[in-house]
Amino acid sequence: MSDTSSTLRIVWIYPDLLSTYGDQGNALILNRRAQLRGIPTEVVYVYSSDPVPAEGDIYLLGGGEDRPQILAADRLRSDGGLKRAVENGASVFAVCAGYQIIGESYGDDDDNPLPGVGILDIHSGRGESRAVGEIVAQLDPTLGGGRITGFENHQGRSRLGSDAAPLSYTSVGIGNDGQTEGAYQGKVVGTYLHGPALPRNPELADLVLRWRVGTLEPLAPSWGEKLHEERLTAAV
Ligand code: GLN
């Protein structure tokens, strides 16, 4: 958390443009898992007509259709708040369209490359087929190595540059390219996992929280762990 406040500020970027397949659940579950540990929180909804505050702790972006995605990227680039927040040490968890646009470049509906926000070293373009269905992937060992699950629905494919590492390695589904899924660079994470991803993967939710608040006391397993197991079983 920032030095000036003991409240964890979770910032949901552009709910009016980027929020498909229940991705808002990522904000709700981070809030809930922080509160269960007695951490004071605030969830800030930043609409596309609003400036993005640079003083948040964890920034969330969801998925979206091709056109709202372009609008969101343009606004985020001209606003500059998200980039400043990352320079200030904030974490980012971005899903699908959100993942593509925080990269260096992404493709429009004719696959022309457009500039991204530039906080994650990835380049995205359109694939030959649409990737739709369940994903199971093994988290990078340095992030804990457990299995993560989600639902994907995207045309885009992503190529990682040398500053980004794969978030996970795909065993079911496509993700970036059929082999790796998502990317991370410092405390910036992108993924193709909808579901929503963080309620389906409590370990991943706690990883993102820990980056910002430090050590977390364990929580008793609850419905999130049951959902995780149920989705893993359903996908394989
Ligand atoms: N429009 C992007 C694609 O098809 C992202 C889709 C999404 O966010 N689900 O790749």
Side-chain angles (χ1 to χ4, degrees), residues 83-131:
K83 202 163 191 177
R84 283 200 301 281
V86 170
E87 285 158 10
N88 291 341
S91 309
V92 177
F93 187 83
V95 177
C96 207
Y99 169 40
Q100 295 172 1
I101 66 171
I102 64 169
E104 296 295 332
S105 70
Y106 67 100
D108 69 6
D109 23 4
D110 291 323
D111 210 18
N112 300 307
L114 297 174
V117 179
I119 55 175
L120 183 60
D121 188 11
I122 64 159
H123 295 265
S124 301
R126 289 177 84 77
E128 283 172 11
S129 60
R130 202 159 179 86

mmCIF file of all heavy atoms in Angstrom, residues 83-131:
data_model
loop_
_atom_site.group_PDB
_atom_site.id
_atom_site.type_symbol
_atom_site.label_atom_id
_atom_site.label_comp_id
_atom_site.label_asym_id
_atom_site.label_seq_id
_atom_site.Cartn_x
_atom_site.Cartn_y
_atom_site.Cartn_z
ATOM 1 N N LYS A 83 0.058 4.367 -16.504
ATOM 2 C CA LYS A 83 1.520 4.249 -16.634
ATOM 3 C C LYS A 83 2.223 4.867 -15.413
ATOM 4 O O LYS A 83 3.156 4.289 -14.861
ATOM 5 C CB LYS A 83 1.967 4.944 -17.923
ATOM 6 C CG LYS A 83 3.288 4.460 -18.403
ATOM 7 C CD LYS A 83 3.528 4.823 -19.848
ATOM 8 C CE LYS A 83 4.756 4.065 -20.311
ATOM 9 N NZ LYS A 83 5.067 4.243 -21.674
ATOM 10 N N ARG A 84 1.713 6.024 -14.974
ATOM 11 C CA ARG A 84 2.305 6.667 -13.788
ATOM 12 C C ARG A 84 2.123 5.785 -12.557
ATOM 13 O O ARG A 84 3.011 5.684 -11.710
ATOM 14 C CB ARG A 84 1.663 8.044 -13.553
ATOM 15 C CG ARG A 84 2.179 9.124 -14.487
ATOM 16 C CD ARG A 84 1.918 10.519 -13.932
ATOM 17 N NE ARG A 84 0.493 10.759 -13.724
ATOM 18 C CZ ARG A 84 -0.360 11.072 -14.697
ATOM 19 N NH1 ARG A 84 0.064 11.191 -15.932
ATOM 20 N NH2 ARG A 84 -1.649 11.275 -14.422
ATOM 21 N N ALA A 85 0.950 5.167 -12.442
ATOM 22 C CA ALA A 85 0.682 4.299 -11.287
ATOM 23 C C ALA A 85 1.687 3.155 -11.235
ATOM 24 O O ALA A 85 2.207 2.823 -10.163
ATOM 25 C CB ALA A 85 -0.744 3.755 -11.373
ATOM 26 N N VAL A 86 1.978 2.552 -12.399
ATOM 27 C CA VAL A 86 2.941 1.441 -12.442
ATOM 28 C C VAL A 86 4.329 1.960 -12.057
ATOM 29 O O VAL A 86 5.074 1.317 -11.305
ATOM 30 C CB VAL A 86 2.935 0.765 -13.835
ATOM 31 C CG1 VAL A 86 4.085 -0.218 -13.990
ATOM 32 C CG2 VAL A 86 1.597 0.066 -14.065
ATOM 33 N N GLU A 87 4.673 3.146 -12.540
ATOM 34 C CA GLU A 87 5.972 3.740 -12.154
ATOM 35 C C GLU A 87 6.022 3.989 -10.642
ATOM 36 O O GLU A 87 7.078 3.909 -10.021
ATOM 37 C CB GLU A 87 6.205 5.049 -12.921
ATOM 38 C CG GLU A 87 6.586 4.779 -14.376
ATOM 39 C CD GLU A 87 6.319 5.959 -15.322
ATOM 40 O OE1 GLU A 87 6.001 7.078 -14.840
ATOM 41 O OE2 GLU A 87 6.401 5.749 -16.543
ATOM 42 N N ASN A 88 4.848 4.242 -10.032
ATOM 43 C CA ASN A 88 4.772 4.448 -8.574
ATOM 44 C C ASN A 88 4.760 3.129 -7.803
ATOM 45 O O ASN A 88 4.658 3.129 -6.585
ATOM 46 C CB ASN A 88 3.469 5.187 -8.191
ATOM 47 C CG ASN A 88 3.465 6.637 -8.654
ATOM 48 O OD1 ASN A 88 4.519 7.189 -8.938
ATOM 49 N ND2 ASN A 88 2.283 7.234 -8.732
ATOM 50 N N GLY A 89 4.740 1.986 -8.514
ATOM 51 C CA GLY A 89 4.804 0.681 -7.831
ATOM 52 C C GLY A 89 3.487 -0.058 -7.736
ATOM 53 O O GLY A 89 3.387 -1.064 -7.030
ATOM 54 N N ALA A 90 2.441 0.416 -8.429
ATOM 55 C CA ALA A 90 1.145 -0.270 -8.373
ATOM 56 C C ALA A 90 1.199 -1.607 -9.106
ATOM 57 O O ALA A 90 2.043 -1.817 -9.977
ATOM 58 C CB ALA A 90 0.066 0.614 -9.002
ATOM 59 N N SER A 91 0.271 -2.508 -8.763
ATOM 60 C CA SER A 91 0.104 -3.769 -9.493
ATOM 61 C C SER A 91 -1.014 -3.608 -10.503
ATOM 62 O O SER A 91 -1.941 -2.824 -10.287
ATOM 63 C CB SER A 91 -0.325 -4.916 -8.582
ATOM 64 O OG SER A 91 0.471 -5.018 -7.492
ATOM 65 N N VAL A 92 -0.934 -4.420 -11.555
ATOM 66 C CA VAL A 92 -1.993 -4.425 -12.580
ATOM 67 C C VAL A 92 -2.373 -5.871 -12.860
ATOM 68 O O VAL A 92 -1.492 -6.739 -12.959
ATOM 69 C CB VAL A 92 -1.499 -3.760 -13.883
ATOM 70 C CG1 VAL A 92 -2.570 -3.826 -14.971
ATOM 71 C CG2 VAL A 92 -1.075 -2.312 -13.635
ATOM 72 N N PHE A 93 -3.678 -6.137 -12.952
ATOM 73 C CA PHE A 93 -4.152 -7.459 -13.390
ATOM 74 C C PHE A 93 -5.140 -7.213 -14.521
ATOM 75 O O PHE A 93 -6.224 -6.673 -14.310
ATOM 76 C CB PHE A 93 -4.813 -8.208 -12.229
ATOM 77 C CG PHE A 93 -5.167 -9.625 -12.586
ATOM 78 C CD1 PHE A 93 -4.222 -10.631 -12.508
ATOM 79 C CD2 PHE A 93 -6.443 -9.946 -13.029
ATOM 80 C CE1 PHE A 93 -4.531 -11.940 -12.855
ATOM 81 C CE2 PHE A 93 -6.762 -11.256 -13.376
ATOM 82 C CZ PHE A 93 -5.810 -12.251 -13.285
ATOM 83 N N ALA A 94 -4.736 -7.581 -15.750
ATOM 84 C CA ALA A 94 -5.519 -7.225 -16.934
ATOM 85 C C ALA A 94 -5.915 -8.488 -17.694
ATOM 86 O O ALA A 94 -5.104 -9.406 -17.848
ATOM 87 C CB ALA A 94 -4.688 -6.321 -17.844
ATOM 88 N N VAL A 95 -7.153 -8.513 -18.172
ATOM 89 C CA VAL A 95 -7.700 -9.717 -18.803
ATOM 90 C C VAL A 95 -8.015 -9.460 -20.278
ATOM 91 O O VAL A 95 -8.678 -8.468 -20.620
ATOM 92 C CB VAL A 95 -8.988 -10.154 -18.067
ATOM 93 C CG1 VAL A 95 -9.616 -11.363 -18.760
ATOM 94 C CG2 VAL A 95 -8.690 -10.469 -16.614
ATOM 95 N N CYS A 96 -7.567 -10.340 -21.136
ATOM 96 C CA CYS A 96 -7.938 -10.450 -22.550
ATOM 97 C C CYS A 96 -7.790 -9.116 -23.301
ATOM 98 O O CYS A 96 -6.662 -8.715 -23.541
ATOM 99 C CB CYS A 96 -9.326 -11.064 -22.667
ATOM 100 S SG CYS A 96 -9.556 -11.925 -24.227
ATOM 101 N N ALA A 97 -8.861 -8.416 -23.641
ATOM 102 C CA ALA A 97 -8.671 -7.131 -24.319
ATOM 103 C C ALA A 97 -7.807 -6.208 -23.459
ATOM 104 O O ALA A 97 -6.931 -5.491 -23.975
ATOM 105 C CB ALA A 97 -10.015 -6.473 -24.603
ATOM 106 N N GLY A 98 -8.033 -6.229 -22.153
ATOM 107 C CA GLY A 98 -7.228 -5.418 -21.225
ATOM 108 C C GLY A 98 -5.766 -5.826 -21.274
ATOM 109 O O GLY A 98 -4.860 -4.979 -21.258
ATOM 110 N N TYR A 99 -5.509 -7.113 -21.346
ATOM 111 C CA TYR A 99 -4.151 -7.662 -21.456
ATOM 112 C C TYR A 99 -3.495 -7.155 -22.745
ATOM 113 O O TYR A 99 -2.372 -6.642 -22.737
ATOM 114 C CB TYR A 99 -4.273 -9.182 -21.444
ATOM 115 C CG TYR A 99 -3.057 -9.999 -21.806
ATOM 116 C CD1 TYR A 99 -1.778 -9.666 -21.383
ATOM 117 C CD2 TYR A 99 -3.214 -11.180 -22.555
ATOM 118 C CE1 TYR A 99 -0.680 -10.472 -21.702
ATOM 119 C CE2 TYR A 99 -2.127 -11.985 -22.869
ATOM 120 C CZ TYR A 99 -0.872 -11.626 -22.452
ATOM 121 O OH TYR A 99 0.215 -12.424 -22.763
ATOM 122 N N GLN A 100 -4.220 -7.269 -23.864
ATOM 123 C CA GLN A 100 -3.631 -6.871 -25.143
ATOM 124 C C GLN A 100 -3.267 -5.388 -25.162
ATOM 125 O O GLN A 100 -2.194 -5.006 -25.644
ATOM 126 C CB GLN A 100 -4.597 -7.192 -26.283
ATOM 127 C CG GLN A 100 -4.835 -8.687 -26.460
ATOM 128 C CD GLN A 100 -5.943 -8.995 -27.458
ATOM 129 O OE1 GLN A 100 -6.533 -8.098 -28.049
ATOM 130 N NE2 GLN A 100 -6.240 -10.277 -27.639
ATOM 131 N N ILE A 101 -4.148 -4.549 -24.623
ATOM 132 C CA ILE A 101 -3.905 -3.098 -24.764
ATOM 133 C C ILE A 101 -2.883 -2.545 -23.780
ATOM 134 O O ILE A 101 -2.384 -1.447 -23.982
ATOM 135 C CB ILE A 101 -5.209 -2.261 -24.703
ATOM 136 C CG1 ILE A 101 -5.859 -2.345 -23.334
ATOM 137 C CG2 ILE A 101 -6.148 -2.645 -25.834
ATOM 138 C CD1 ILE A 101 -7.028 -1.375 -23.165
ATOM 139 N N ILE A 102 -2.545 -3.293 -22.721
ATOM 140 C CA ILE A 102 -1.465 -2.762 -21.869
ATOM 141 C C ILE A 102 -0.096 -3.130 -22.450
ATOM 142 O O ILE A 102 0.931 -2.718 -21.934
ATOM 143 C CB ILE A 102 -1.562 -3.200 -20.393
ATOM 144 C CG1 ILE A 102 -1.409 -4.712 -20.231
ATOM 145 C CG2 ILE A 102 -2.844 -2.655 -19.764
ATOM 146 C CD1 ILE A 102 -1.241 -5.149 -18.771
ATOM 147 N N GLY A 103 -0.080 -3.917 -23.521
ATOM 148 C CA GLY A 103 1.165 -4.285 -24.174
ATOM 149 C C GLY A 103 1.731 -3.167 -25.038
ATOM 150 O O GLY A 103 1.245 -2.029 -25.018
ATOM 151 N N GLU A 104 2.744 -3.520 -25.826
ATOM 152 C CA GLU A 104 3.381 -2.533 -26.708
ATOM 153 C C GLU A 104 2.523 -2.261 -27.934
ATOM 154 O O GLU A 104 2.436 -1.130 -28.405
ATOM 155 C CB GLU A 104 4.765 -3.034 -27.151
ATOM 156 C CG GLU A 104 5.772 -3.205 -26.016
ATOM 157 C CD GLU A 104 6.133 -1.888 -25.355
ATOM 158 O OE1 GLU A 104 6.071 -0.849 -26.021
ATOM 159 O OE2 GLU A 104 6.460 -1.904 -24.148
ATOM 160 N N SER A 105 1.899 -3.319 -28.480
ATOM 161 C CA SER A 105 1.032 -3.132 -29.641
ATOM 162 C C SER A 105 0.008 -4.257 -29.697
ATOM 163 O O SER A 105 0.213 -5.332 -29.108
ATOM 164 C CB SER A 105 1.847 -3.093 -30.938
ATOM 165 O OG SER A 105 2.368 -4.370 -31.207
ATOM 166 N N TYR A 106 -1.090 -3.992 -30.381
ATOM 167 C CA TYR A 106 -2.145 -5.011 -30.548
ATOM 168 C C TYR A 106 -2.797 -4.762 -31.900
ATOM 169 O O TYR A 106 -2.624 -3.699 -32.494
ATOM 170 C CB TYR A 106 -3.176 -4.921 -29.392
ATOM 171 C CG TYR A 106 -3.990 -3.666 -29.410
ATOM 172 C CD1 TYR A 106 -5.289 -3.677 -29.923
ATOM 173 C CD2 TYR A 106 -3.467 -2.454 -28.969
ATOM 174 C CE1 TYR A 106 -6.041 -2.518 -29.972
ATOM 175 C CE2 TYR A 106 -4.208 -1.289 -29.020
ATOM 176 C CZ TYR A 106 -5.489 -1.329 -29.518
ATOM 177 O OH TYR A 106 -6.227 -0.176 -29.588
ATOM 178 N N GLY A 107 -3.566 -5.752 -32.401
ATOM 179 C CA GLY A 107 -4.142 -5.611 -33.732
ATOM 180 C C GLY A 107 -5.592 -5.149 -33.692
ATOM 181 O O GLY A 107 -6.344 -5.547 -32.807
ATOM 182 N N ASP A 108 -5.982 -4.314 -34.658
ATOM 183 C CA ASP A 108 -7.399 -3.950 -34.764
ATOM 184 C C ASP A 108 -8.140 -5.053 -35.530
ATOM 185 O O ASP A 108 -7.570 -6.114 -35.803
ATOM 186 C CB ASP A 108 -7.582 -2.561 -35.407
ATOM 187 C CG ASP A 108 -7.211 -2.536 -36.883
ATOM 188 O OD1 ASP A 108 -6.915 -3.610 -37.464
ATOM 189 O OD2 ASP A 108 -7.216 -1.441 -37.473
ATOM 190 N N ASP A 109 -9.407 -4.810 -35.931
ATOM 191 C CA ASP A 109 -10.155 -5.918 -36.536
ATOM 192 C C ASP A 109 -9.616 -6.323 -37.905
ATOM 193 O O ASP A 109 -9.925 -7.401 -38.403
ATOM 194 C CB ASP A 109 -11.681 -5.700 -36.553
ATOM 195 C CG ASP A 109 -12.120 -4.262 -36.485
ATOM 196 O OD1 ASP A 109 -11.238 -3.380 -36.498
ATOM 197 O OD2 ASP A 109 -13.330 -4.014 -36.424
ATOM 198 N N ASP A 110 -8.772 -5.482 -38.546
ATOM 199 C CA ASP A 110 -8.097 -5.900 -39.785
ATOM 200 C C ASP A 110 -6.643 -6.301 -39.531
ATOM 201 O O ASP A 110 -5.847 -6.412 -40.466
ATOM 202 C CB ASP A 110 -8.126 -4.758 -40.809
ATOM 203 C CG ASP A 110 -9.545 -4.517 -41.308
ATOM 204 O OD1 ASP A 110 -10.273 -5.513 -41.465
ATOM 205 O OD2 ASP A 110 -9.921 -3.344 -41.489
ATOM 206 N N ASP A 111 -6.308 -6.437 -38.278
ATOM 207 C CA ASP A 111 -4.949 -6.804 -37.838
ATOM 208 C C ASP A 111 -3.899 -5.734 -38.138
ATOM 209 O O ASP A 111 -2.708 -6.035 -38.246
ATOM 210 C CB ASP A 111 -4.524 -8.165 -38.420
ATOM 211 C CG ASP A 111 -3.555 -8.879 -37.471
ATOM 212 O OD1 ASP A 111 -3.492 -8.504 -36.286
ATOM 213 O OD2 ASP A 111 -2.852 -9.798 -37.929
ATOM 214 N N ASN A 112 -4.332 -4.488 -38.255
ATOM 215 C CA ASN A 112 -3.342 -3.404 -38.319
ATOM 216 C C ASN A 112 -2.808 -3.196 -36.903
ATOM 217 O O ASN A 112 -3.598 -3.133 -35.960
ATOM 218 C CB ASN A 112 -4.000 -2.094 -38.777
ATOM 219 C CG ASN A 112 -4.604 -2.241 -40.148
ATOM 220 O OD1 ASN A 112 -3.927 -2.666 -41.073
ATOM 221 N ND2 ASN A 112 -5.888 -1.934 -40.273
ATOM 222 N N PRO A 113 -1.490 -3.079 -36.744
ATOM 223 C CA PRO A 113 -0.955 -2.881 -35.391
ATOM 224 C C PRO A 113 -1.270 -1.481 -34.850
ATOM 225 O O PRO A 113 -1.108 -0.487 -35.560
ATOM 226 C CB PRO A 113 0.550 -3.078 -35.545
ATOM 227 C CG PRO A 113 0.825 -2.985 -36.997
ATOM 228 C CD PRO A 113 -0.450 -3.185 -37.762
ATOM 229 N N LEU A 114 -1.733 -1.436 -33.624
ATOM 230 C CA LEU A 114 -2.033 -0.170 -32.958
ATOM 231 C C LEU A 114 -1.187 -0.096 -31.689
ATOM 232 O O LEU A 114 -0.891 -1.138 -31.090
ATOM 233 C CB LEU A 114 -3.516 -0.100 -32.573
ATOM 234 C CG LEU A 114 -4.516 -0.121 -33.725
ATOM 235 C CD1 LEU A 114 -5.944 -0.203 -33.189
ATOM 236 C CD2 LEU A 114 -4.343 1.130 -34.580
ATOM 237 N N PRO A 115 -0.815 1.112 -31.268
ATOM 238 C CA PRO A 115 0.033 1.201 -30.067
ATOM 239 C C PRO A 115 -0.747 0.910 -28.790
ATOM 240 O O PRO A 115 -1.893 1.339 -28.632
ATOM 241 C CB PRO A 115 0.508 2.658 -30.087
ATOM 242 C CG PRO A 115 -0.491 3.386 -30.911
ATOM 243 C CD PRO A 115 -1.078 2.412 -31.888
ATOM 244 N N GLY A 116 -0.125 0.159 -27.878
ATOM 245 C CA GLY A 116 -0.724 -0.095 -26.577
ATOM 246 C C GLY A 116 -0.209 0.886 -25.533
ATOM 247 O O GLY A 116 0.519 1.826 -25.849
ATOM 248 N N VAL A 117 -0.561 0.609 -24.272
ATOM 249 C CA VAL A 117 -0.166 1.509 -23.171
ATOM 250 C C VAL A 117 1.335 1.354 -22.874
ATOM 251 O O VAL A 117 1.959 2.269 -22.347
ATOM 252 C CB VAL A 117 -1.025 1.205 -21.916
ATOM 253 C CG1 VAL A 117 -0.635 2.083 -20.738
ATOM 254 C CG2 VAL A 117 -2.516 1.373 -22.235
ATOM 255 N N GLY A 118 1.902 0.193 -23.193
ATOM 256 C CA GLY A 118 3.359 0.024 -23.069
ATOM 257 C C GLY A 118 3.852 -0.240 -21.659
ATOM 258 O O GLY A 118 4.942 0.178 -21.293
ATOM 259 N N ILE A 119 3.051 -0.966 -20.848
ATOM 260 C CA ILE A 119 3.531 -1.330 -19.505
ATOM 261 C C ILE A 119 3.836 -2.831 -19.408
ATOM 262 O O ILE A 119 4.197 -3.313 -18.342
ATOM 263 C CB ILE A 119 2.539 -0.909 -18.396
ATOM 264 C CG1 ILE A 119 1.131 -1.475 -18.651
ATOM 265 C CG2 ILE A 119 2.514 0.609 -18.255
ATOM 266 C CD1 ILE A 119 0.146 -1.190 -17.518
ATOM 267 N N LEU A 120 3.656 -3.551 -20.515
ATOM 268 C CA LEU A 120 3.957 -4.987 -20.540
ATOM 269 C C LEU A 120 4.545 -5.266 -21.920
ATOM 270 O O LEU A 120 3.978 -4.840 -22.929
ATOM 271 C CB LEU A 120 2.656 -5.769 -20.306
ATOM 272 C CG LEU A 120 2.724 -7.284 -20.211
ATOM 273 C CD1 LEU A 120 3.630 -7.727 -19.047
ATOM 274 C CD2 LEU A 120 1.326 -7.879 -20.000
ATOM 275 N N ASP A 121 5.682 -5.986 -21.931
ATOM 276 C CA ASP A 121 6.408 -6.187 -23.190
ATOM 277 C C ASP A 121 5.794 -7.358 -23.981
ATOM 278 O O ASP A 121 6.364 -8.449 -24.040
ATOM 279 C CB ASP A 121 7.883 -6.433 -22.876
ATOM 280 C CG ASP A 121 8.738 -6.457 -24.134
ATOM 281 O OD1 ASP A 121 8.222 -6.075 -25.211
ATOM 282 O OD2 ASP A 121 9.908 -6.872 -24.035
ATOM 283 N N ILE A 122 4.619 -7.098 -24.546
ATOM 284 C CA ILE A 122 3.997 -8.093 -25.428
ATOM 285 C C ILE A 122 3.498 -7.387 -26.694
ATOM 286 O O ILE A 122 3.214 -6.183 -26.678
ATOM 287 C CB ILE A 122 2.801 -8.831 -24.772
ATOM 288 C CG1 ILE A 122 1.643 -7.865 -24.467
ATOM 289 C CG2 ILE A 122 3.226 -9.585 -23.537
ATOM 290 C CD1 ILE A 122 0.305 -8.550 -24.304
ATOM 291 N N HIS A 123 3.378 -8.152 -27.763
ATOM 292 C CA HIS A 123 2.785 -7.680 -29.012
ATOM 293 C C HIS A 123 1.674 -8.656 -29.363
ATOM 294 O O HIS A 123 1.903 -9.865 -29.366
ATOM 295 C CB HIS A 123 3.823 -7.648 -30.132
ATOM 296 C CG HIS A 123 4.916 -6.653 -29.866
ATOM 297 N ND1 HIS A 123 4.894 -5.376 -30.361
ATOM 298 C CD2 HIS A 123 6.036 -6.760 -29.117
ATOM 299 C CE1 HIS A 123 5.970 -4.726 -29.938
ATOM 300 N NE2 HIS A 123 6.680 -5.545 -29.179
ATOM 301 N N SER A 124 0.485 -8.125 -29.635
ATOM 302 C CA SER A 124 -0.640 -9.008 -29.966
ATOM 303 C C SER A 124 -1.110 -8.736 -31.386
ATOM 304 O O SER A 124 -1.047 -7.604 -31.871
ATOM 305 C CB SER A 124 -1.793 -8.782 -28.986
ATOM 306 O OG SER A 124 -1.357 -9.032 -27.662
ATOM 307 N N GLY A 125 -1.563 -9.797 -32.041
ATOM 308 C CA GLY A 125 -2.160 -9.675 -33.371
ATOM 309 C C GLY A 125 -3.299 -10.675 -33.452
ATOM 310 O O GLY A 125 -3.571 -11.381 -32.472
ATOM 311 N N ARG A 126 -3.939 -10.749 -34.583
ATOM 312 C CA ARG A 126 -5.084 -11.660 -34.698
ATOM 313 C C ARG A 126 -4.629 -13.052 -35.124
ATOM 314 O O ARG A 126 -3.784 -13.187 -36.003
ATOM 315 C CB ARG A 126 -6.086 -11.109 -35.706
ATOM 316 C CG ARG A 126 -6.799 -9.883 -35.179
ATOM 317 C CD ARG A 126 -7.730 -9.310 -36.182
ATOM 318 N NE ARG A 126 -9.036 -9.952 -36.193
ATOM 319 C CZ ARG A 126 -9.977 -9.730 -35.288
ATOM 320 N NH1 ARG A 126 -9.759 -8.903 -34.284
ATOM 321 N NH2 ARG A 126 -11.139 -10.334 -35.388
ATOM 322 N N GLY A 127 -5.214 -14.068 -34.527
ATOM 323 C CA GLY A 127 -4.931 -15.439 -34.912
ATOM 324 C C GLY A 127 -5.830 -15.862 -36.059
ATOM 325 O O GLY A 127 -6.745 -15.135 -36.450
ATOM 326 N N GLU A 128 -5.562 -17.053 -36.598
ATOM 327 C CA GLU A 128 -6.385 -17.532 -37.721
ATOM 328 C C GLU A 128 -7.731 -18.067 -37.270
ATOM 329 O O GLU A 128 -8.678 -18.130 -38.042
ATOM 330 C CB GLU A 128 -5.613 -18.612 -38.483
ATOM 331 C CG GLU A 128 -4.567 -17.964 -39.360
ATOM 332 C CD GLU A 128 -3.631 -18.940 -40.004
ATOM 333 O OE1 GLU A 128 -3.897 -20.149 -39.946
ATOM 334 O OE2 GLU A 128 -2.625 -18.467 -40.558
ATOM 335 N N SER A 129 -7.824 -18.461 -36.010
ATOM 336 C CA SER A 129 -9.096 -18.985 -35.495
ATOM 337 C C SER A 129 -9.396 -18.304 -34.166
ATOM 338 O O SER A 129 -8.511 -17.712 -33.546
ATOM 339 C CB SER A 129 -8.972 -20.484 -35.269
ATOM 340 O OG SER A 129 -7.936 -20.699 -34.333
ATOM 341 N N ARG A 130 -10.650 -18.399 -33.763
ATOM 342 C CA ARG A 130 -11.029 -17.850 -32.473
ATOM 343 C C ARG A 130 -10.764 -18.907 -31.408
ATOM 344 O O ARG A 130 -11.086 -20.078 -31.599
ATOM 345 C CB ARG A 130 -12.518 -17.470 -32.503
ATOM 346 C CG ARG A 130 -12.852 -16.473 -31.480
ATOM 347 C CD ARG A 130 -14.109 -15.670 -31.699
ATOM 348 N NE ARG A 130 -14.218 -14.784 -30.563
ATOM 349 C CZ ARG A 130 -13.642 -13.605 -30.489
ATOM 350 N NH1 ARG A 130 -12.995 -13.099 -31.521
ATOM 351 N NH2 ARG A 130 -13.732 -12.883 -29.401
ATOM 352 N N ALA A 131 -10.151 -18.517 -30.315
ATOM 353 C CA ALA A 131 -9.891 -19.446 -29.212
ATOM 354 C C ALA A 131 -11.050 -19.330 -28.230
ATOM 355 O O ALA A 131 -11.246 -18.270 -27.633
ATOM 356 C CB ALA A 131 -8.569 -19.075 -28.524
#
